[in-house]
Amino acid sequence: MFNSRYFRDIRRQYHSWWIPSVVAAFLVLLPIIAILISLFQPANENWAHIREYVLVDAVIQSSQLVVLTIIFTACLGVSLAWLVTAYDFPMKRFFSWALLLPLAIPPYIAAYTYSNMFSYTGIVQKTLRNYFGYSPDPSWFGVMSMRGAVMIFTLFLFPYVYLLTRAYFSKESGSYIENARLLGRGSWSIFFKVALPLCRPALVGSLMLVMFEVLSDYGVVSYFGVQTISTAIFKTWFGMYDVDSAVRLASWLMIGILGLFALEHFLRSNRKYSASTSKSRPFQPQRLHGGKGAIAWLVCALVFALSFLIPFIQLIVWATWSFESVWTSAFYELLANTFKVAVISTVIIMVVSILVANSCRLQSNVFSKLLAKSVTAGYSIPGAVIAVGVLHVFIGLDHQLSAWRGEDTLWLSLSIAMLIFGYVVRFMATGYNAVESGYEKMGTSYLQASRLLGLGITRTFWKVDLPLLRRALLSGAILTFVEILKELPLALLLRPFNFETLATKTYQYANDERIFEASIPSLCIIAVSMLSVLLFHRIGEEKQR
Amino acid sequence: MSVVEVNSITFQYDRKHKPVINDLSFSIDQGEIVGILGASGSGKSTLLRILAGLEHPTEGKVVLSGKTVVDDQVCVSPEQRGVGMVFQDYALFPHLTVAQNVSFGLYRLPRKERAKRTEEMLELVHLSEFANRYPHELSGGQQQRVAIARALAPCPAVLLMDEPFSNLDADLKCSIRCEIQEILRKAKMTCLFVTHDHQDVEAICDRSIQMCENLT
């Protein structure tokens, strides 16, 4: 009796959406597994050398970079978020969304823009020399260093912290802060005693994002000559042609990140703050008058200028200088290339996201949770690591294929399929999270109503889910598209020979010291990225309502 | 002939908890309107969901119109059971008009018959002039009638209603009760509904089933 019921339940839980979902999850996990397996294989003779001369340095500098960036972004992000939610001052409404705009500028673009502005022939030193007759010591402006990298990351990644803590301040903490005010606390003590401890989950979450960005960066650190694990992977791959060691480095980086993940999970589960009242509403901001208001305005304006306006204007100026030489038919081809791979990858990501999210919603159990976790595993893993894993898998496949076909040609690993696959693995989470939250908002009652009216799950999907998911799908697709457009290290490693995207072209121009030419592809990336920033802002506004 | 036959079903969410429904049996004849009474947590809604195929009994057997829909071997999926259900929150599709909602379950019919049946159902619930409105443009009582029309349109063997009157104002309740009874009688529909209000049962039911909280 027991057995037959067991089979009945399996039959009941099985549906046609499982097969593609499981296949997709397996494919996404493949490069990650390939990297982890390499840890158990014996190292080659290079490895001892790399460990001694590359790895130690890379680990030290990576950690230094991460720790410093986290400290500064936390300070900047939280204080701006508090300023904008707790106080009223001139142009506050403008700043509250304008401070998100730095997210539209990828750090590597900011890096070469700033380093050029501060160079001997850049606008800063030139102005000082020509108009003030003052020649400062050039070493003062040495941004091409750890110091510069920290500055760039802080200026262009703080919006993550700002965005998440601001949402927390304005949404969750209203009643606590008003209570503290009624209890006679001043605003400084409210910030340190109430708001800051309360926003800790949001702060930790956003700092994790900052950390992932820093660890996965290749553009900034390679331009500034900082030795991190990402650059070490590139060096062993392109400099020493040592695939095994590159994979091994990647696996160590991945283990480090998994460790940090576990740590975050542990920290969070240890201390759980959640609202004791379900009704939370924004609190009334305090009006800042006269001098205080001016100072608040000045702080916001300064940050906005440094982290968006100045580099943006500089890029536009450079673009006008180089427009004619860059904006040619070759550039159209570059645009077409970039958009083609980004669109194909985005479509694949959205389709797989729908498949998996719907399967998980139809049957919520341990297996489906595992499935969702494995599909989204790529988001915390640096682009360079995923690229190495994907290369590993594709080259292996190619060897199999050529053995089978009896020819000795690389077939898959020279096609854009590899690049697209890499993008899909890396950015699946962006699309998946959007679809999942769309499904969550929808609930299951429409699905149940439709099934009771005689429609199967697939027909229900076309007639009910899809029209109701449209907005979530659109925003997920835009966010994914922009992420793909911005991604540099993955594209550098996986693009076919002579295939350029906007990101790789920008990097190449900048690396060849053709900074003015780099400004046009940069501006294209920034323009598209602004779309996603506006979307972020709108989603945030909606949640507050 | 009995349309619904429930044969000693037991339901528990997991092994750790005591069963919500324990060894329950009853049957309903064609055209009967039966109310299920019970305190909250006594498994009334779960019973409806088991009949609909949205939950699955740990033990026992359910037969609908002579066909076994769930026992130890078989489990017919909700879309193949031929059961109509009116949800507590109505679950009207927000992106479809009233007419489209009502014709939703009629996709197997040819276009002409579909339109005719939809019109009939809208007439039955007195909402013909609202055919092109969207659900959010209707009052609560009207939404409920759309939900009933939608559930009745594909001619289900039995109509299940989950707390049909709980979302309505007290003074509306009386008139809507009568209206629904009239609709159900006109459609000769077998109906099973869940309520915690004795008055509902007295007003429109042929008989009632009392579920008590399972203390064992």
Side-chain angles (χ1 to χ4, degrees), chain A residues 1-2 4-5 8-9 11-12 445-457 459 463-464 467-468, chain B residues 49 52 54 56-58 71-75 78-79 83 85 87 91-95 104-105 107-108 150:
Chain A
M1 278 303 262
F2 173 77
S4 63
R5 199 177 317 134
R8 177 201 81 182
D9 284 346
R11 257 203 315 275
R12 176 167 62 76
S445 63
Y446 297 131
L447 169 74
Q448 292 173 353
S450 168
R451 292 188 76 179
L452 284 170
L453 289 166
L455 278 75
I457 49 176
R459 205 184 282 266
K463 294 193 82 170
V464 181
L468 292 177
Chain B
R49 292 172 62 82
L54 300 172
H56 306 277
T58 16
D71 65 7
D72 280 342
Q73 272 90 41
V74 278
C75 180
E79 57 263 35
V83 178
M85 185 155 174
F87 289 80
L92 296 175
F93 303 118
H95 62 297
F104 191 86
Y107 66 99
R108 284 197 190 86
R150 184 177 73 174

